[in-house]
Amino acid sequence: MLWLAVTQEKNVNILDYMKDNFIILDGGMGTLLQEAGLQPGELPERWNVTHPEEIVRIQKAYFDAGSNVVLANTFGANGLKFDDEELEKLINAAFDNARRARSESSSKKEMFIALDIGSLGKLLKPYGDYEFEDAVAMYAKTVRYGVKAGADLIFIETMNDSYDTKAALLAAKENSSLPVFVSNAYGSDGKLMTGATPAAMVAMLEGMHADAIGANCSLGPDQLIGVMEEYIKYASVPVLLKPNAGLPRTENGKTVYDVFPPEFADSVEKLMEKGVRIVGGCCGTTPDYIRAVSEKADKLKPVLLTDKNLSVVSSYTHAVIFGHSPILIGERINPTGKKRFQQALRENDIDYILGEGLKQQDAGVQVLDVNVGLPEIDEPAMLINVVKELQAVSDLPLQLDTTDTVAMEAGLRAYNGKAMVNSVNGKEEVMEAVFPLVAKYGGFVVALTLDEDGIPDNAEKRIEIAKKIISKAAEYGIAKKDLIFDPLAMTISADTKAALATMKAVHGIRHGLGVNTSLGVSNVSFGLPVRNIITSTFFALCLEEGLSAAIMNPYSTEMMNVYYAFRALHDMDENCMDYISYTDKLPAMVPAGSQAAAAKGTAGGTPADASNAVDKPATSELQTAIVRGLKEKTGHLTKELLKDSKPLEIIQNEVIPALNTVGEQFEKKKVYLPQLLMAADAAKAAFEEVKLVMAESEDGGAPTRCPFVIATVHGDIHDIGKNIVKLILENYGFAVSDLGKDVPEQAIVDEVIRLHAPLVGLSALMTTTVPAMEETIKLLREQAPWAKVCVGGAVLTQEYADSIGADRYCRDAMETVRYAEEVEAELNK
């Protein structure tokens, strides 16, 4: 082929190019392939081999329209769809086509070809059934083939879960040295499907050294303004935007969008003026859209990229920023001096550990310290387990507290977000062991001011150690903003000047070096009576010196008093609302009938019942366990209740009300998908106990509601949404027949007829598979006219659902449940 000989040689690195230029991406591929004849259920990646001329034509049109980057036709190229031989063949063909398009293009711009990686379509554990490391391995296979085929960069896109995003980015970093751009798909609430905010994604992705980050798909440019503004506010790397052409609908059997090229370009231009550096289009956009955007970019100068210098950690839902208001780190997940906790570790009593985390969250901490180190247990395995289980029931960021670097790496790899890392110190061997892990996985590192000579007794030497650590961290690409120094609180019962040295060090490090500080404050009072008097006063003094965070006992009334008062007095608490809310709850936080308890606090060790520290609906212990997602506890409590209560009473009076509580909070956006799924999983444990009892009764088993057939449509292997809906429906008692993914139209209809099911749920993620959904609905109308059809998926809207003949568009699992209940109620009239 002649074009191979004249293929453009890439002498320009895209990272260098975008320092001074906008990067123009391409637009939608699926939409244009459908116009070219891609059939419902047909895999677009196979067109790389069967229809190369069409792929080249589309990609050349994008280059000609002004695209700097065209994505190879590999969005769905992964080992879940194709065997290794075909996968490599399709990826090689994709890059042959893209290089040919680049060679034939008349564009004079710099042109690059990206390996396009989309989601595997699997929900990862603990919320789904797919292992994190399996996802990393599956993405890695695609990355290796893409690198071998000649990719200039890797473009990870349309990711709607933070953990899945981490798996893909980790695979890219571990299997290539190419630049990596990462784009997530946000909902109308400005969050990912599993609850992550843009700030949370910025924290994690920057920590793992993504080269550009941003958003694509789901919405049009105007609907993504808030998301983009949050990225621009927090990101120190280039921000990208690849929106849809508005919202889709069907006209004469063809999918069309409601935003046209001039309007699209005007909206994108406004965001470029605010700081977006990389722009293109997703579903519904064509070369005309890209040409309009490129013409706008030619007249603009990119906004200067700046380091936001933010010290931040994140969970799978949100980010916590250090350096403004003091941050409380709960200390109770730690075996030191806690016999009951040690017992829990030895017996693998995870529910006890989760309970400690949840009680501290209720008490008001923003981060949970996690230390599971005991000599007789497998610390790496335990840390992985506790991290995953804690993140299943709590959305607080975690501080991984270990001296075992094997455990540290295991925890960092498993963690969903950007973790705190406790700790490093001034010893060379420790820094050389810890800093490479933080450089790879990201992290906010607690640095202890000690070295080979031990802990200095004066502030000046501790500050010198801090300088040494800052310098060493920089060698690994770790900035000051990702370090937080612990100047070490020593007990004044051994040295009455110890506290003064620590406070001076706090001041010098915070104000002299400009770095955040943290302390384990309770050490100062060790060996003294009524420890909380000393500890809380020391806490207040250190806060005044610039303490950024404290590892502390949140059950101590004195410590919490200091915290809320300090924030109110330093104008960190708007209208003193947090202080007022806190004081309203004070009576519930002090053991009943004990004036002494209020004065004495809980420094001796036994915490008050922190579960009373926040307002909660009056529910039973079983309902609380379900709402919290505590599976083992739910099963145990249900078994106990079954001794005295009828199975149906437990379902009606305990399980369903608990699910309704979580469902209502989910609908109000007070909790997100992970909490909903973990509550459903806990409820499942209750149902299993109930089924065991009912199987022995005359009823022969638990009752079910009407049949509900559910499937991901032909050609679509993304079953995350479908699986979520199935789980929630089953917990509400519906008899779900799950046909799986990539299900032929007639197979769905046949199952509906077999069950005479009154309800059908169809799911599709991609625009290319929506025609299969429409065809299924047509067949259902002809052969099973009694069935009501609800549809869902990232590309759908109510208007789009109406246009393809569906009865209802359900945005999420709870809307599906509500619709099913509505239909069933009509049937029972």
Side-chain angles (χ1 to χ4, degrees):
M1 295 183 182
L2 180 63
W3 63 269
L4 281 172
V6 296
T7 294
Q8 176 179 334
E9 294 293 331
K10 293 310 304 169
N11 296 317
V12 178
N13 182 290
I14 192 169
L15 299 183
D16 293 330
Y17 180 76
M18 71 181 178
K19 288 177 181 177
D20 302 309
N21 298 278
F22 287 109
I23 295 287
I24 308 300
L25 304 171
D26 61 8
M29 173 62 81
T31 309
L32 299 182
L33 288 179
Q34 284 178 316
E35 290 179 357
L38 183 73
Q39 296 301 303
E42 194 174 4
L43 296 177
E45 294 76 24
R46 288 199 169 118
W47 273 44
N48 293 330
V49 173
T50 61
H51 296 75
E53 296 297 331
E54 291 295 341
I55 303 298
V56 171
R57 178 184 62 78
I58 292 169
Q59 292 179 329
K60 177 181 179 298
Y62 278 125
F63 277 131
D64 289 345
S67 292
N68 298 111
V69 176
V70 161
L71 308 186
N73 184 33
T74 57
F75 177 81
N78 61 64
L80 294 179
K81 289 184 180 179
F82 309 104
D83 62 32
D84 288 0
E85 182 180 356
E86 185 178 18
L87 180 62
E88 183 174 18
K89 179 181 178 181
L90 293 177
I91 291 175
N92 284 335
F95 279 90
D96 286 345
N97 295 335
R99 280 191 290 267
R100 180 179 169 189
R102 181 171 65 184
S103 174
E104 295 179 0
S105 172
S106 60
S107 174
K108 302 303 180 183
K109 288 188 172 185
E110 293 291 340
M111 292 178 281
F112 305 88
I113 301 169
L115 172 66
D116 190 18
I117 297 179
S119 171
L120 296 175
K122 293 286 188 181
L123 195 60
L124 306 187
K125 290 182 177 180
Y127 315 122
D129 58 3
Y130 205 65
E131 291 285 355
F132 175 77
E133 291 298 343
D134 289 343
V136 174
M138 195 62 69
Y139 286 123
K141 188 180 296 185
T142 298
V143 170
R144 288 192 293 269
Y145 288 142
V147 171
K148 186 178 177 181
D152 298 314
L153 68 150
I154 297 170
F155 198 100
I156 299 167
E157 65 170 334
T158 324
M159 310 297 280
N160 56 17
D161 170 51
S162 59
Y163 210 25
D164 193 25
T165 308
K166 177 173 180 174
L169 179 55
L170 193 58
K173 289 292 183 179
E174 289 183 336
N175 293 276
S176 82
S177 58
L178 295 175
V180 185
F181 294 3
V182 183
S183 183
N184 291 98
Y186 290 86
S188 58
D189 61 352
K191 296 180 175 64
L192 301 189
M193 177 185 72
T194 45
T197 63
M201 294 310 298
V202 170
M204 183 182 78
L205 297 175
E206 282 197 359
M208 293 180 67
H209 304 291
D211 295 290
I213 57 179
N216 77 291
C217 205
S218 298
L219 302 166
D222 288 344
Q223 289 77 35
L224 285 170
I225 288 173
V227 169
M228 285 294 100
E229 288 176 342
E230 196 169 341
Y231 267 95
I232 292 165
K233 178 180 179 180
Y234 293 112
S236 298
V237 298
V239 172
L240 67 89
L241 171 65
K242 207 168 181 278
N244 289 350
L247 299 175
R249 66 181 185 276
T250 295
E251 285 185 1
N252 301 319
K254 180 181 177 182
T255 300
V256 297
Y257 289 77
D258 63 359
V259 176
F260 297 100
E263 181 186 353
F264 182 89
D266 287 344
S267 296
V268 171
E269 178 187 27
K270 293 174 184 175
L271 289 166
M272 294 165 73
E273 290 173 341
K274 290 184 177 184
V276 173
R277 179 66 67 97
I278 303 165
V279 293
C282 203
C283 300
T285 60
T286 66
D288 288 339
Y289 287 77
I290 301 308
R291 184 174 294 103
V293 169
S294 180
E295 290 171 356
K296 295 284 187 183
D298 289 342
K299 301 173 185 177
L300 297 175
K301 185 176 181 180
V303 174
L304 183 67
L305 195 65
T306 60
D307 187 340
K308 304 306 187 298
N309 198 32
L310 296 174
S311 297
V312 59
V313 297
S314 67
S315 67
Y316 63 87
T317 59
H318 68 281
V320 172
I321 298 174
F322 287 69
H324 303 300
S325 178
I327 302 300
L328 300 182
I329 304 169
E331 68 178 12
R332 305 299 297 178
I333 302 178
N334 190 317
T336 306
K338 303 181 184 72
K339 291 183 179 179
R340 177 65 185 89
F341 195 91
Q342 293 172 10
Q343 179 187 352
L345 289 176
R346 293 187 186 103
E347 297 175 355
N348 198 32
D349 185 356
I350 298 299
D351 266 10
Y352 178 83
I353 298 171
L354 300 184
E356 284 297 306
L358 291 171
K359 286 189 289 185
Q360 291 182 96
Q361 179 171 351
D362 288 347
V365 303
Q366 291 97 12
V367 178
L368 293 173
D369 183 71
V370 180
N371 185 321
V372 295
L374 278 183
E376 63 267 40
I377 70 169
D378 183 345
E379 186 180 354
M382 178 61 76
L383 187 58
I384 290 174
N385 191 26
V386 170
V387 164
K388 289 183 176 181
E389 292 290 342
L390 264 175
Q391 289 207 289
V393 300
S394 171
D395 67 349
L396 293 185
L398 303 182
Q399 174 173 274
L400 308 184
D401 187 351
T402 180
T403 58
D404 182 338
T405 52
V406 174
M408 185 180 290
E409 178 164 21
L412 283 170
R413 191 175 181 89
Y415 184 72
N416 188 356
K418 180 183 178 183
M420 287 191 75
V421 180
N422 189 7
S423 60
V424 74
N425 58 52
K427 295 179 181 179
E428 287 292 329
E429 64 176 355
V430 175
M431 290 189 286
E432 289 171 1
V434 172
F435 283 145
L437 301 180
V438 176
K440 177 177 181 178
Y441 297 104
F444 184 48
V445 192
V446 178
L448 310 180
T449 55
L450 62 86
D451 60 12
E452 287 83 357
D453 297 324
I455 303 172
D457 59 5
N458 62 74
E460 290 75 17
K461 289 183 179 179
R462 295 183 198 182
I463 293 170
E464 286 304 311
I465 292 173
K467 291 178 181 178
K468 179 174 73 170
I469 294 172
I470 291 171
S471 177
K472 189 70 173 181
E475 295 177 14
Y476 293 88
I478 300 169
K480 285 199 308 183
K481 66 183 180 181
D482 282 326
L483 300 173
I484 180 168
F485 283 88
D486 185 341
L488 300 168
M490 310 302 290
T491 178
I492 61 171
S493 64
D495 178 2
T496 55
K497 295 180 180 179
L500 295 174
T502 299
M503 287 187 285
K504 187 175 180 181
V506 168
H507 183 93
I509 291 171
R510 184 73 185 106
H511 300 292
L513 302 183
V515 193
N516 284 294
T517 56
S518 176
L519 279 174
V521 291
S522 63
N523 294 338
V524 76
S525 63
F526 186 78
L528 294 173
V530 197
R531 291 180 60 189
N532 251 4
I533 296 175
I534 294 291
T535 304
S536 60
T537 303
F538 177 63
F539 182 35
L541 293 171
C542 288
L543 287 172
E544 195 60 42
E545 295 294 345
L547 186 67
S548 310
I551 304 175
M552 47 80 73
N553 176 8
Y555 311 142
S556 164
T557 303
E558 285 87 350
M559 292 289 287
M560 300 304 285
N561 288 349
V562 167
Y563 171 73
Y564 284 103
F566 178 87
R567 292 184 69 251
L569 291 166
H570 283 74
D571 193 28
M572 298 173 177
D573 181 3
E574 187 174 358
N575 297 322
C576 301
M577 294 306 296
D578 290 341
Y579 176 79
I580 293 168
S581 177
Y582 167 73
T583 55
D584 285 343
K585 299 163 189 170
L586 272 176
M589 298 177 67
V590 180
S594 175
Q595 291 284 339
K600 205 172 175 184
T602 57
T606 305
D609 182 4
S611 63
N612 291 326
V614 295
D615 292 328
K616 289 182 180 177
T619 60
S620 70
E621 191 177 4
L622 175 55
Q623 288 185 43
T624 300
I626 293 171
V627 169
R628 289 292 204 181
L630 300 174
K631 300 185 288 292
E632 290 183 18
K633 188 173 183 179
T634 295
H636 173 73
L637 290 171
T638 303
K639 188 179 293 186
E640 290 299 310
L641 275 179
L642 283 165
K643 293 177 182 178
D644 302 307
S645 303
K646 295 180 180 179
L648 290 180
E649 289 179 355
I650 294 174
I651 292 173
Q652 296 300 324
N653 299 334
E654 300 284 350
V655 179
I656 296 302
L659 287 172
N660 282 336
T661 296
V662 181
E664 288 165 7
Q665 291 176 334
F666 176 79
E667 290 168 329
K668 294 175 182 177
K669 301 299 182 185
K670 291 184 177 180
V671 302
Y672 291 91
L673 183 62
Q675 293 96 323
L676 179 68
L677 292 177
M678 296 316 296
D681 216 19
K684 198 173 181 181
F687 279 121
E688 291 304 317
E689 296 296 335
V690 168
K691 287 178 182 177
L692 288 174
V693 172
M694 295 193 73
E696 298 171 0
S697 70
E698 295 180 359
D699 297 329
T704 55
R705 301 168 82 167
C706 67
F708 194 121
V709 175
I710 192 168
T712 300
V713 299
H714 193 33
D716 203 320
I717 69 159
H718 299 86
D719 60 358
I720 291 178
K722 184 263 298 176
N723 289 343
I724 292 166
V725 171
K726 173 192 173 184
L727 176 63
I728 305 303
L729 283 169
E730 286 179 334
N731 274 280
Y732 273 84
F734 288 93
V736 179
S737 175
D738 179 9
L739 299 181
K741 60 195 176 187
D742 189 17
V743 185
E745 295 85 343
Q746 190 59 50
I748 297 172
V749 176
D750 290 345
E751 181 69 357
V752 173
I753 293 171
R754 185 182 74 83
L755 296 175
H756 200 76
L759 285 158
V760 185
L762 302 177
S763 175
L765 178 72
M766 305 185 308
T767 53
T768 54
T769 57
V770 174
M773 181 180 281
E774 183 174 14
E775 180 61 26
T776 304
I777 294 171
K778 287 180 180 177
L779 290 176
L780 284 167
R781 296 303 181 222
E782 294 170 3
Q783 301 176 42
W786 64 84
K788 298 291 186 181
V789 182
C790 59
V791 296
V795 296
L796 295 171
T797 63
Q798 182 62 59
E799 184 179 3
Y800 202 177
D802 291 340
S803 68
I804 62 176
D807 294 293
R808 182 72 62 88
Y809 162 64
C810 292
R811 184 176 47 190
D812 52 47
M814 286 311 302
E815 281 197 11
T816 309
V817 168
R818 302 301 183 218
Y819 180 60
E821 290 178 328
E822 179 184 314
V823 171
E824 186 182 53
E826 286 295 319
L827 290 173
N828 293 334
K829 282 184 178 179

